[in-house]
Amino acid sequence: MLHLVGLGLADEKDITVRGLEIVKKAERVYLEAYTAILLVDKVKLEAFYGRPVIEADRELVESGSDDILAGADKTDIAFLVVGDPFGATTHTDLVLRARELGIQTNVVPNASIMSGIGCTGLQLYNFGQTVSMVFFLENWKPSSFYDRVRENVQIGLHTLVLLDIKVKEQSMENLARGRRIFEPPRYMTVAQCASQMLETEEERKEGVYGPDSLAVGAARVGAPDQKMVVGTLKELCEVDMGEPLHSLVLLGRRTHDLERDFIRQYAVNEATFDASYAKYYGASS
């Protein structure tokens, strides 16, 4: 059987008891290592599990799924996913491939950023569509996220923005020359995300949000040192939230007073927060 095991958000101890039992008995254990990261390295996972762990990068998962599934019709294979297997990033393609080969599958859920973002104090049922923000390049600045944000804004809902990570990426030159040389890992920050959002608004000029729109920055959700900051997008362009992973939530106009009271304690500047909230959000709370 192929077991997709959610690891939770922070460290090696966030795995569920059921998930840990599967890992200890599996023939092989893979760690999906390109859509998200735990806040500890593979060595700590192996020490806690008492098992070797095989890192599964994008190439292996997308092109070498047969290697992962080899023998799974006769023995147990564990495929570990940071967060929840079907949370922010789904792995339906791997499950479908297993089904094609007649391999049974089992999913062990866990906390993901989709539920963990509730630590901000914003109510989960007040969230609309989740969007992703990728690193902009000089000649490539995709803005498809903007249309989804606009739809959320129109009905007053919060927007969770998941920030890009680059792991085991090649430069264009090395890719063109066929050299397997990889760039150092990069993780987008809340400040970079806020800046790119404002750059997109300046380009699109549709008034979906602006420099005075309020947003919540969240870092290392679920970890003991998780951090939250609330401010205008302009203010968040200057914040330093430390180590990855970061997320951002654009505040919706239907924000409830209880949500406002909860997030206010994290404000970069309470006076600015109060002024922006009264101007753009207070009438609909």
Side-chain angles (χ1 to χ4, degrees):
M1 181 177 290
L2 171 69
H3 300 270
L4 279 75
V5 180
L7 296 184
L9 291 167
D11 59 30
E12 72 277 13
K13 296 181 181 178
D14 279 357
I15 191 171
T16 64
V17 173
R18 182 154 59 100
L20 185 58
E21 290 175 346
I22 290 170
V23 168
K24 287 184 175 295
K25 295 178 181 178
E27 180 73 17
R28 298 191 306 278
V29 181
Y30 293 92
L31 171 65
E32 191 264 79
Y34 67 91
T35 62
I37 59 165
L38 280 182
L39 304 181
V40 295
D41 59 28
K42 185 168 73 80
V43 174
K44 278 199 170 184
L45 292 183
E46 292 177 326
F48 187 73
Y49 300 155
R51 297 293 313 283
V53 173
I54 304 166
E55 284 197 0
D57 59 18
R58 183 186 297 273
E59 183 178 357
L60 177 58
V61 176
E62 294 182 352
S63 303
S65 60
D66 287 349
D67 293 333
I68 295 173
L69 296 172
D73 56 335
K74 300 180 180 66
T75 188
D76 288 327
I77 306 299
F79 185 79
L80 311 182
V81 180
V82 177
D84 183 88
F86 294 139
T89 300
T90 63
H91 290 85
T92 53
D93 52 344
L94 188 60
V95 172
L96 290 173
R97 180 60 181 150
R99 288 178 182 174
E100 290 175 359
L101 296 173
I103 296 169
Q104 290 185 314
T105 59
N106 172 49
V107 177
V108 182
N110 209 322
S112 77
I113 190 61
M114 305 291 281
S115 58
I117 200 64
C119 70
T120 58
L122 300 177
Q123 297 163 2
L124 294 178
Y125 52 77
N126 281 342
F127 280 75
Q129 302 169 90
T130 297
V131 302
S132 297
M133 177 69 74
V134 301
F135 282 109
F136 284 178
L137 302 176
E138 185 175 345
N139 58 351
W140 186 68
K141 299 180 180 181
S143 62
S144 58
F145 75 91
Y146 187 87
D147 301 311
R148 305 285 80 78
V149 174
R150 180 178 57 237
E151 292 170 358
N152 289 344
V153 167
Q154 287 172 344
I155 53 178
L157 299 178
H158 310 312
T159 301
L160 171 60
V161 186
L162 304 178
L163 310 192
D164 200 6
I165 70 173
K166 297 292 187 186
V167 178
K168 205 173 180 181
E169 297 278 336
Q170 293 175 273
S171 67
M172 294 302 295
E173 180 183 354
N174 286 328
L175 191 61
R177 295 176 178 272
R179 297 184 298 209
R180 292 183 60 80
I181 300 173
F182 301 101
E183 301 294 296
R186 290 191 297 150
Y187 307 97
M188 184 179 288
T189 66
V190 163
Q192 290 171 313
C193 178
S195 177
Q196 290 189 180
M197 288 181 71
L198 291 178
E199 183 179 350
T200 301
E201 178 59 58
E202 183 63 26
E203 176 68 25
R204 298 282 294 262
K205 298 185 185 301
E206 297 177 34
V208 171
Y209 51 79
D212 294 331
S213 297
L214 290 172
V216 183
R220 300 172 299 283
V221 170
D225 65 340
Q226 76 175 18
K227 182 176 181 179
M228 285 177 281
V229 174
V230 177
T232 65
L233 286 175
K234 183 178 180 180
E235 288 174 330
L236 292 186
C237 288
E238 305 298 328
V239 300
D240 180 0
M241 302 195 67
E243 296 297 309
L245 294 170
H246 294 189
S247 303
L248 182 143
V249 181
L250 185 68
L251 211 62
R253 292 180 185 272
R254 286 167 53 180
T255 300
H256 192 277
D257 287 348
L258 291 176
E259 294 177 291
R260 175 203 62 199
D261 293 345
F262 194 100
I263 65 176
R264 188 177 184 272
Q265 64 181 310
Y266 305 115
V268 174
N269 182 299
E270 290 185 355
T272 303
F273 174 88
D274 291 341
S276 293
Y277 190 88
K279 183 176 181 180
Y280 298 107
Y281 306 87
S284 57
S285 64

